[in-house]
Amino acid sequence: MSEEIKKFKITIDGQTTEVAPGTSILEAARQIGGRSVPPAMCYYKPLENSGGRCRTCLVEVSKGSEADPRPMPKLVASCRTGVMDGMEVKNLTSDKTQEARKAVTEFLLINHPLDCPVCDQAGECHLQDLGYEHGLERTRTEFERRTFEPEDIGPYIKLHMNRCILCARCVLAANQLTEEREHGILFRGEQAEISTYLNKALDNDFIGNVIDVCPVGALTDKTARFAQRVWFTKPVNASCSCSKCSGKVVLWMKGEEVIRVTARKDQYDEIEEWICNECRFERKDLKYWSIEGPRHIDRHSVISLNHYEKPKNMINLLNNPDAKEISVKDEE
């Protein structure tokens, strides 16, 4: 009989849960759920060694542990800090955390262009969400932004380095999914950029997944660029018989037309199963797919407002206390 592992208790914003030793504060927060979960621009659970770069997940540790109740002197990155038994953490309830998140957001936006109206990532962009919640109305910097020309880094992928925040998710995904990595972070400091090795193309069978892991619009699908705004499309679960991957995908459709194909993601926008390039880029016809039904988008986003799916027994209330309730049946 194996010995039972003692779990650690952690309290985040007044909510307590128990987690296994070695769990990060961020994963413990995700176990609690709700608005106490810190945002993360670089951490990506399916990718080894991710996290620790963007600092958007900073939290205040007001109590280190039962053994040593002293608070930690500085804010810590929740994705890289392990839980201790009896630890108490403040996220939403900490003014220092919120001020630090505003500062981090401002730094991320220093070189980021204001091209949301033409960016394919608009509507499902983590930086757009951060900018809305914590961003300033105008920049306080006076120097010129870094600018790059869009670059083709493969037959299917377009790189917009202007939008990149150097989270390194795409590099880690390539390391994990391919045997020979052909792109990475070149140079250092403010000169750092994502690029390929001697202009080589990224043509691995699974390299299209770097588009899905990118939290901003730096890597885009050339087969779907400028085809449609995401909030005008209808996501549906679909599957096919594929010899390379599971074939389980999300089709983003406009009428009967397949605009783009992506991997299925959870509420934190993390891929559940990697898909191959053939499923992602080459199967843009319904004849290849078995439709399973509408895809419910769990993460908070423009695309999760149920404009494409009516929940059962839903009652819509008009913004008027004297108005009568309108049911789904009345609407139809």
Side-chain angles (χ1 to χ4, degrees):
M1 184 175 178
S2 61
E3 185 178 349
E4 185 177 354
I5 300 176
K6 180 185 176 182
K7 291 189 174 183
F8 289 168
K9 280 188 177 182
I10 178 173
T11 302
I12 302 176
D13 289 342
Q15 303 172 89
T16 303
T17 187
E18 291 187 342
V19 298
T23 303
S24 67
I25 295 176
L26 179 58
E27 285 299 324
R30 289 183 174 184
Q31 184 170 307
I32 292 175
R35 289 180 55 80
S36 292
V37 181
M41 297 292 293
C42 64
Y43 176 77
Y44 207 79
K45 188 176 181 181
L47 299 178
E48 298 176 2
N49 301 318
S50 67
R53 290 179 174 85
C54 71
R55 314 316 262 189
T56 58
C57 67
L58 290 174
V59 293
E60 179 184 354
V61 178
S62 57
K63 179 181 178 182
S65 65
E66 288 292 347
D68 185 0
R70 291 176 300 174
M72 291 190 178
K74 296 181 180 180
L75 301 180
V76 299
S78 60
C79 65
R80 286 289 192 174
T81 306
V83 168
M84 299 298 291
D85 192 24
M87 178 179 281
E88 294 181 6
V89 176
K90 293 181 179 179
N91 178 33
L92 284 178
T93 56
S94 168
D95 292 336
K96 288 196 296 184
T97 295
Q98 298 306 309
E99 286 301 314
R101 197 159 292 154
K102 290 178 182 178
V104 170
T105 302
E106 184 176 7
F107 275 114
L108 290 177
L109 291 171
I110 281 179
N111 285 302
H112 197 83
L114 298 177
D115 59 357
C116 297
V118 298
C119 179
D120 285 310
Q121 192 81 0
E124 51 184 355
C125 176
H126 295 257
L127 187 57
Q128 197 175 39
D129 295 339
L130 269 180
Y132 180 77
E133 294 177 12
H134 304 290
L136 299 175
E137 292 184 2
R138 62 184 64 186
T139 181
R140 295 188 294 177
T141 57
E142 298 178 356
F143 53 82
E144 293 185 5
R145 298 172 185 261
R146 294 199 314 164
T147 56
F148 302 83
E149 289 297 323
E151 180 183 355
D152 290 318
I153 57 174
Y156 300 113
I157 304 173
K158 175 80 78 172
L159 170 63
H160 289 257
M161 189 57 212
N162 290 346
R163 303 169 184 165
C164 180
I165 60 169
L166 294 173
C167 69
R169 283 183 183 179
C170 61
V171 178
L172 295 174
N175 278 341
Q176 185 168 318
L177 298 175
T178 66
E179 295 181 359
E180 296 182 2
R181 179 168 59 83
E182 295 173 338
H183 86 296
I185 300 178
L186 305 183
F187 313 120
R188 301 178 67 182
E190 66 174 6
Q191 304 298 323
E193 63 176 282
I194 298 288
S195 188
T196 57
Y197 177 67
L198 295 179
N199 295 324
K200 284 190 174 181
L202 304 183
D203 56 1
N204 182 273
D205 284 341
F206 284 81
I207 201 63
N209 290 284
V210 300
I211 298 172
D212 278 348
V213 303
C214 181
V216 293
L219 295 168
T220 55
D221 179 353
K222 289 168 65 176
T223 67
R225 291 181 76 236
F226 308 130
Q228 194 61 246
R229 307 305 286 177
V230 66
W231 51 84
F232 292 139
T233 59
K234 174 184 176 182
V236 296
N237 286 334
S239 59
C240 70
S241 299
C242 181
S243 59
K244 298 178 182 178
C245 67
S246 66
K248 297 178 180 179
V249 303
V250 177
L251 303 181
W252 299 81
M253 301 179 63
K254 181 70 172 180
E256 296 297 315
E257 180 184 3
V258 179
I259 302 296
R260 65 171 180 154
V261 181
T262 65
R264 298 185 185 183
K265 301 180 181 181
D266 61 18
Q267 62 179 316
Y268 301 111
D269 211 31
E270 295 178 348
I271 291 178
E272 298 171 358
E273 294 184 67
W274 309 106
I275 63 173
C276 67
N277 287 357
E278 184 178 352
C279 289
R280 182 185 299 274
F281 301 119
E282 299 176 12
R283 298 185 175 181
K284 292 291 188 73
D285 196 307
L286 285 178
K287 67 182 181 182
Y288 296 112
W289 302 101
S290 297
I291 304 299
E292 300 173 5
R295 174 71 176 181
H296 179 71
I297 305 300
D298 293 321
R299 64 172 289 243
H300 174 69
S301 172
V302 171
I303 54 179
S304 61
L305 298 181
N306 290 323
H307 66 285
Y308 62 88
E309 175 187 14
K310 292 180 179 178
K312 294 180 180 178
N313 301 322
M314 176 182 176
I315 296 178
N316 295 327
L317 297 177
L318 297 180
N319 190 21
N320 183 344
D322 298 323
K324 78 166 197 174
E325 296 176 352
I326 299 179
S327 66
V328 173
K329 184 176 180 181
D330 292 332
E331 285 187 316
E332 295 174 349

